[in-house]
């Protein structure tokens, strides 16, 4: 169990590092909490699986408006509809890719799965341990970031 907690801490630190590297804004990290709920209250989320030495998931949820504002910060335009959904998946991909790169510097060999878009209230299941971290993006809104680890 201690090893699981250590791995989860490494993943969480890598996730926070990744978000700060990918999103060009003032980022405030909230207090991490054990995630025990069965649903994520977000209108738009992206789920990316983690494979290799560590099996788990990275889920990033927020409002469509927040993801649109992040797209404006990154690309100079607010997206909507299918373009916003595509951007949300790509943002998750960029964060997860950076996470895997950072985790490898901590001797964790991992890979990621293609992103899955989740629309509306979402259920996150099948994990042994999960941590929820609220990430405030430059007074524009809060992303709910969940890192899970499976056996």
């Amino acid at each position: 169990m201690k090893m699981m907690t250590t791995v989860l801490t490494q993943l969480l630190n890598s996730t926070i590092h990744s978000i700060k590297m990918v999103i060009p804004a003032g980022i405030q990290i909230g207090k991490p909490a054990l995630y025990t709920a069965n649903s994520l209250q977000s209108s738009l989320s992206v789920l990316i699986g983690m494979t290799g030495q560590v099996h788990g998931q990275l889920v990033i949820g927020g409002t469509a408006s927040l993801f649109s504002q992040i797209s404006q910060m990154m690309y100079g335009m607010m997206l909507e509809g299918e373009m916003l959904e595509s951007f949300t998946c790509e943002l998750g991909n960029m964060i997860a890719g950076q996470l895997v790169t950072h985790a490898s510097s901590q001797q964790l060999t991992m890979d990621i799965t293609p992103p899955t878009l989740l629309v509306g209230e979402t259920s996150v299941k099948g994990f042994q341990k999960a941590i929820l971290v609220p990430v405030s993006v430059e007074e524009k809104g809060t992303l709910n970031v969940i890192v899970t680890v499976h056996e």
Side-chain angles (χ1 to χ4, degrees), residues 9-35:
T9 301
Q10 287 176 308
L11 288 178
L12 187 60
N13 290 337
S14 293
T15 302
I16 291 167
H17 170 82
S18 301
I19 290 169
K20 289 179 176 180
M21 295 291 294
V22 171
I23 299 176
I27 300 290
Q28 296 293 327
I29 306 300
K31 184 178 179 185
L34 196 59
Y35 177 76

mmCIF file of all heavy atoms in Angstrom, residues 9-35:
data_model
loop_
_atom_site.group_PDB
_atom_site.id
_atom_site.type_symbol
_atom_site.label_atom_id
_atom_site.label_comp_id
_atom_site.label_asym_id
_atom_site.label_seq_id
_atom_site.Cartn_x
_atom_site.Cartn_y
_atom_site.Cartn_z
ATOM 1 N N THR A 9 1.654 9.817 -5.467
ATOM 2 C CA THR A 9 2.283 11.116 -5.193
ATOM 3 C C THR A 9 3.162 11.546 -6.361
ATOM 4 O O THR A 9 3.118 12.706 -6.788
ATOM 5 C CB THR A 9 3.114 11.057 -3.889
ATOM 6 O OG1 THR A 9 2.240 10.694 -2.816
ATOM 7 C CG2 THR A 9 3.774 12.388 -3.590
ATOM 8 N N GLN A 10 3.948 10.613 -6.913
ATOM 9 C CA GLN A 10 4.780 10.932 -8.074
ATOM 10 C C GLN A 10 3.921 11.342 -9.264
ATOM 11 O O GLN A 10 4.242 12.304 -9.966
ATOM 12 C CB GLN A 10 5.651 9.728 -8.467
ATOM 13 C CG GLN A 10 6.791 9.459 -7.516
ATOM 14 C CD GLN A 10 7.552 8.204 -7.923
ATOM 15 O OE1 GLN A 10 6.958 7.143 -8.130
ATOM 16 N NE2 GLN A 10 8.873 8.330 -8.036
ATOM 17 N N LEU A 11 2.837 10.618 -9.498
ATOM 18 C CA LEU A 11 1.938 10.954 -10.607
ATOM 19 C C LEU A 11 1.285 12.317 -10.401
ATOM 20 O O LEU A 11 1.174 13.106 -11.333
ATOM 21 C CB LEU A 11 0.848 9.890 -10.765
ATOM 22 C CG LEU A 11 1.266 8.550 -11.330
ATOM 23 C CD1 LEU A 11 0.075 7.602 -11.372
ATOM 24 C CD2 LEU A 11 1.856 8.709 -12.722
ATOM 25 N N LEU A 12 0.878 12.590 -9.182
ATOM 26 C CA LEU A 12 0.249 13.861 -8.865
ATOM 27 C C LEU A 12 1.226 15.019 -9.094
ATOM 28 O O LEU A 12 0.884 16.019 -9.729
ATOM 29 C CB LEU A 12 -0.246 13.848 -7.418
ATOM 30 C CG LEU A 12 -1.075 15.033 -6.975
ATOM 31 C CD1 LEU A 12 -2.331 15.156 -7.822
ATOM 32 C CD2 LEU A 12 -1.452 14.877 -5.509
ATOM 33 N N ASN A 13 2.451 14.869 -8.609
ATOM 34 C CA ASN A 13 3.468 15.904 -8.808
ATOM 35 C C ASN A 13 3.767 16.092 -10.294
ATOM 36 O O ASN A 13 3.928 17.227 -10.768
ATOM 37 C CB ASN A 13 4.750 15.578 -8.038
ATOM 38 C CG ASN A 13 4.571 15.707 -6.542
ATOM 39 O OD1 ASN A 13 3.683 16.416 -6.068
ATOM 40 N ND2 ASN A 13 5.388 15.006 -5.781
ATOM 41 N N SER A 14 3.836 15.002 -11.042
ATOM 42 C CA SER A 14 4.073 15.082 -12.488
ATOM 43 C C SER A 14 2.899 15.749 -13.203
ATOM 44 O O SER A 14 3.093 16.518 -14.148
ATOM 45 C CB SER A 14 4.320 13.691 -13.081
ATOM 46 O OG SER A 14 5.536 13.164 -12.605
ATOM 47 N N THR A 15 1.689 15.481 -12.734
ATOM 48 C CA THR A 15 0.496 16.089 -13.330
ATOM 49 C C THR A 15 0.497 17.599 -13.114
ATOM 50 O O THR A 15 0.258 18.371 -14.047
ATOM 51 C CB THR A 15 -0.788 15.475 -12.736
ATOM 52 O OG1 THR A 15 -0.779 14.066 -12.968
ATOM 53 C CG2 THR A 15 -2.036 16.087 -13.333
ATOM 54 N N ILE A 16 0.773 18.025 -11.892
ATOM 55 C CA ILE A 16 0.814 19.457 -11.576
ATOM 56 C C ILE A 16 1.897 20.143 -12.407
ATOM 57 O O ILE A 16 1.677 21.204 -13.000
ATOM 58 C CB ILE A 16 1.025 19.665 -10.062
ATOM 59 C CG1 ILE A 16 -0.244 19.224 -9.307
ATOM 60 C CG2 ILE A 16 1.376 21.124 -9.752
ATOM 61 C CD1 ILE A 16 -0.072 19.081 -7.811
ATOM 62 N N HIS A 17 3.069 19.528 -12.489
ATOM 63 C CA HIS A 17 4.158 20.060 -13.309
ATOM 64 C C HIS A 17 3.698 20.200 -14.760
ATOM 65 O O HIS A 17 3.935 21.227 -15.407
ATOM 66 C CB HIS A 17 5.383 19.134 -13.213
ATOM 67 C CG HIS A 17 6.463 19.459 -14.179
ATOM 68 N ND1 HIS A 17 7.391 20.447 -13.941
ATOM 69 C CD2 HIS A 17 6.757 18.954 -15.408
ATOM 70 C CE1 HIS A 17 8.206 20.531 -14.982
ATOM 71 N NE2 HIS A 17 7.843 19.629 -15.880
ATOM 72 N N SER A 18 3.027 19.197 -15.274
ATOM 73 C CA SER A 18 2.578 19.177 -16.663
ATOM 74 C C SER A 18 1.575 20.281 -16.953
ATOM 75 O O SER A 18 1.655 20.957 -17.984
ATOM 76 C CB SER A 18 1.952 17.829 -16.999
ATOM 77 O OG SER A 18 2.884 16.805 -16.780
ATOM 78 N N ILE A 19 0.616 20.449 -16.061
ATOM 79 C CA ILE A 19 -0.400 21.489 -16.249
ATOM 80 C C ILE A 19 0.260 22.863 -16.312
ATOM 81 O O ILE A 19 -0.060 23.681 -17.172
ATOM 82 C CB ILE A 19 -1.465 21.416 -15.136
ATOM 83 C CG1 ILE A 19 -2.315 20.152 -15.322
ATOM 84 C CG2 ILE A 19 -2.334 22.674 -15.117
ATOM 85 C CD1 ILE A 19 -3.215 19.828 -14.160
ATOM 86 N N LYS A 20 1.221 23.088 -15.415
ATOM 87 C CA LYS A 20 1.917 24.375 -15.403
ATOM 88 C C LYS A 20 2.739 24.581 -16.676
ATOM 89 O O LYS A 20 2.912 25.711 -17.129
ATOM 90 C CB LYS A 20 2.817 24.479 -14.171
ATOM 91 C CG LYS A 20 2.030 24.643 -12.880
ATOM 92 C CD LYS A 20 2.956 24.716 -11.678
ATOM 93 C CE LYS A 20 2.183 24.970 -10.401
ATOM 94 N NZ LYS A 20 3.076 25.040 -9.225
ATOM 95 N N MET A 21 3.250 23.498 -17.264
ATOM 96 C CA MET A 21 4.034 23.596 -18.498
ATOM 97 C C MET A 21 3.144 23.826 -19.727
ATOM 98 O O MET A 21 3.528 24.524 -20.644
ATOM 99 C CB MET A 21 4.856 22.320 -18.718
ATOM 100 C CG MET A 21 5.935 22.061 -17.688
ATOM 101 S SD MET A 21 7.292 23.233 -17.769
ATOM 102 C CE MET A 21 7.987 22.841 -19.351
ATOM 103 N N VAL A 22 1.951 23.240 -19.734
ATOM 104 C CA VAL A 22 1.104 23.256 -20.928
ATOM 105 C C VAL A 22 0.185 24.477 -20.995
ATOM 106 O O VAL A 22 0.023 25.070 -22.061
ATOM 107 C CB VAL A 22 0.270 21.952 -21.022
ATOM 108 C CG1 VAL A 22 -0.767 22.029 -22.126
ATOM 109 C CG2 VAL A 22 1.194 20.755 -21.241
ATOM 110 N N ILE A 23 -0.420 24.852 -19.882
ATOM 111 C CA ILE A 23 -1.380 25.962 -19.899
ATOM 112 C C ILE A 23 -0.648 27.265 -19.591
ATOM 113 O O ILE A 23 -0.117 27.435 -18.494
ATOM 114 C CB ILE A 23 -2.529 25.717 -18.891
ATOM 115 C CG1 ILE A 23 -3.285 24.438 -19.257
ATOM 116 C CG2 ILE A 23 -3.476 26.917 -18.870
ATOM 117 C CD1 ILE A 23 -4.371 24.052 -18.275
ATOM 118 N N PRO A 24 -0.653 28.200 -20.555
ATOM 119 C CA PRO A 24 0.095 29.448 -20.386
ATOM 120 C C PRO A 24 -0.690 30.486 -19.586
ATOM 121 O O PRO A 24 -1.140 31.498 -20.117
ATOM 122 C CB PRO A 24 0.296 29.906 -21.839
ATOM 123 C CG PRO A 24 -0.938 29.428 -22.532
ATOM 124 C CD PRO A 24 -1.289 28.118 -21.856
ATOM 125 N N ALA A 25 -0.871 30.222 -18.307
ATOM 126 C CA ALA A 25 -1.661 31.119 -17.465
ATOM 127 C C ALA A 25 -1.198 30.987 -16.031
ATOM 128 O O ALA A 25 -0.450 30.077 -15.687
ATOM 129 C CB ALA A 25 -3.143 30.749 -17.567
ATOM 130 N N GLY A 26 -1.687 31.881 -15.200
ATOM 131 C CA GLY A 26 -1.450 31.757 -13.770
ATOM 132 C C GLY A 26 -2.254 30.574 -13.253
ATOM 133 O O GLY A 26 -3.467 30.522 -13.422
ATOM 134 N N ILE A 27 -1.567 29.619 -12.683
ATOM 135 C CA ILE A 27 -2.206 28.397 -12.190
ATOM 136 C C ILE A 27 -2.066 28.359 -10.668
ATOM 137 O O ILE A 27 -0.975 28.534 -10.132
ATOM 138 C CB ILE A 27 -1.512 27.141 -12.791
ATOM 139 C CG1 ILE A 27 -1.591 27.133 -14.316
ATOM 140 C CG2 ILE A 27 -2.058 25.860 -12.181
ATOM 141 C CD1 ILE A 27 -2.958 26.894 -14.880
ATOM 142 N N GLN A 28 -3.182 28.130 -9.990
ATOM 143 C CA GLN A 28 -3.170 27.942 -8.539
ATOM 144 C C GLN A 28 -3.641 26.526 -8.250
ATOM 145 O O GLN A 28 -4.723 26.131 -8.690
ATOM 146 C CB GLN A 28 -4.106 28.951 -7.849
ATOM 147 C CG GLN A 28 -3.683 30.391 -8.020
ATOM 148 C CD GLN A 28 -2.384 30.698 -7.300
ATOM 149 O OE1 GLN A 28 -2.081 30.142 -6.243
ATOM 150 N NE2 GLN A 28 -1.582 31.572 -7.888
ATOM 151 N N ILE A 29 -2.820 25.787 -7.534
ATOM 152 C CA ILE A 29 -3.148 24.398 -7.216
ATOM 153 C C ILE A 29 -3.857 24.355 -5.868
ATOM 154 O O ILE A 29 -3.327 24.841 -4.868
ATOM 155 C CB ILE A 29 -1.859 23.528 -7.167
ATOM 156 C CG1 ILE A 29 -1.056 23.657 -8.460
ATOM 157 C CG2 ILE A 29 -2.207 22.076 -6.847
ATOM 158 C CD1 ILE A 29 -1.781 23.242 -9.717
ATOM 159 N N GLY A 30 -5.056 23.779 -5.858
ATOM 160 C CA GLY A 30 -5.805 23.630 -4.613
ATOM 161 C C GLY A 30 -5.292 22.450 -3.809
ATOM 162 O O GLY A 30 -4.369 21.736 -4.225
ATOM 163 N N LYS A 31 -5.886 22.245 -2.682
ATOM 164 C CA LYS A 31 -5.473 21.154 -1.802
ATOM 165 C C LYS A 31 -5.943 19.810 -2.357
ATOM 166 O O LYS A 31 -7.136 19.609 -2.567
ATOM 167 C CB LYS A 31 -6.056 21.379 -0.414
ATOM 168 C CG LYS A 31 -5.602 20.353 0.601
ATOM 169 C CD LYS A 31 -6.158 20.635 1.975
ATOM 170 C CE LYS A 31 -5.689 19.556 2.920
ATOM 171 N NZ LYS A 31 -6.282 19.708 4.244
ATOM 172 N N PRO A 32 -5.006 18.892 -2.595
ATOM 173 C CA PRO A 32 -5.397 17.554 -3.058
ATOM 174 C C PRO A 32 -6.247 16.845 -2.004
ATOM 175 O O PRO A 32 -6.019 17.005 -0.804
ATOM 176 C CB PRO A 32 -4.061 16.826 -3.242
ATOM 177 C CG PRO A 32 -3.030 17.895 -3.302
ATOM 178 C CD PRO A 32 -3.562 19.031 -2.475
ATOM 179 N N ALA A 33 -7.218 16.098 -2.464
ATOM 180 C CA ALA A 33 -8.083 15.350 -1.551
ATOM 181 C C ALA A 33 -8.325 13.961 -2.122
ATOM 182 O O ALA A 33 -8.323 13.768 -3.333
ATOM 183 C CB ALA A 33 -9.417 16.073 -1.378
ATOM 184 N N LEU A 34 -8.523 13.010 -1.234
ATOM 185 C CA LEU A 34 -8.867 11.665 -1.663
ATOM 186 C C LEU A 34 -10.193 11.732 -2.405
ATOM 187 O O LEU A 34 -11.146 12.347 -1.939
ATOM 188 C CB LEU A 34 -8.978 10.748 -0.442
ATOM 189 C CG LEU A 34 -8.955 9.256 -0.692
ATOM 190 C CD1 LEU A 34 -7.666 8.846 -1.401
ATOM 191 C CD2 LEU A 34 -9.064 8.517 0.633
ATOM 192 N N TYR A 35 -10.240 11.158 -3.587
ATOM 193 C CA TYR A 35 -11.451 11.174 -4.400
ATOM 194 C C TYR A 35 -12.226 9.905 -4.124
ATOM 195 O O TYR A 35 -11.730 8.808 -4.358
ATOM 196 C CB TYR A 35 -11.083 11.274 -5.884
ATOM 197 C CG TYR A 35 -12.266 11.216 -6.812
ATOM 198 C CD1 TYR A 35 -13.098 12.322 -6.977
ATOM 199 C CD2 TYR A 35 -12.552 10.065 -7.527
ATOM 200 C CE1 TYR A 35 -14.180 12.270 -7.837
ATOM 201 C CE2 TYR A 35 -13.631 10.012 -8.393
ATOM 202 C CZ TYR A 35 -14.447 11.116 -8.539
ATOM 203 O OH TYR A 35 -15.510 11.065 -9.387
#
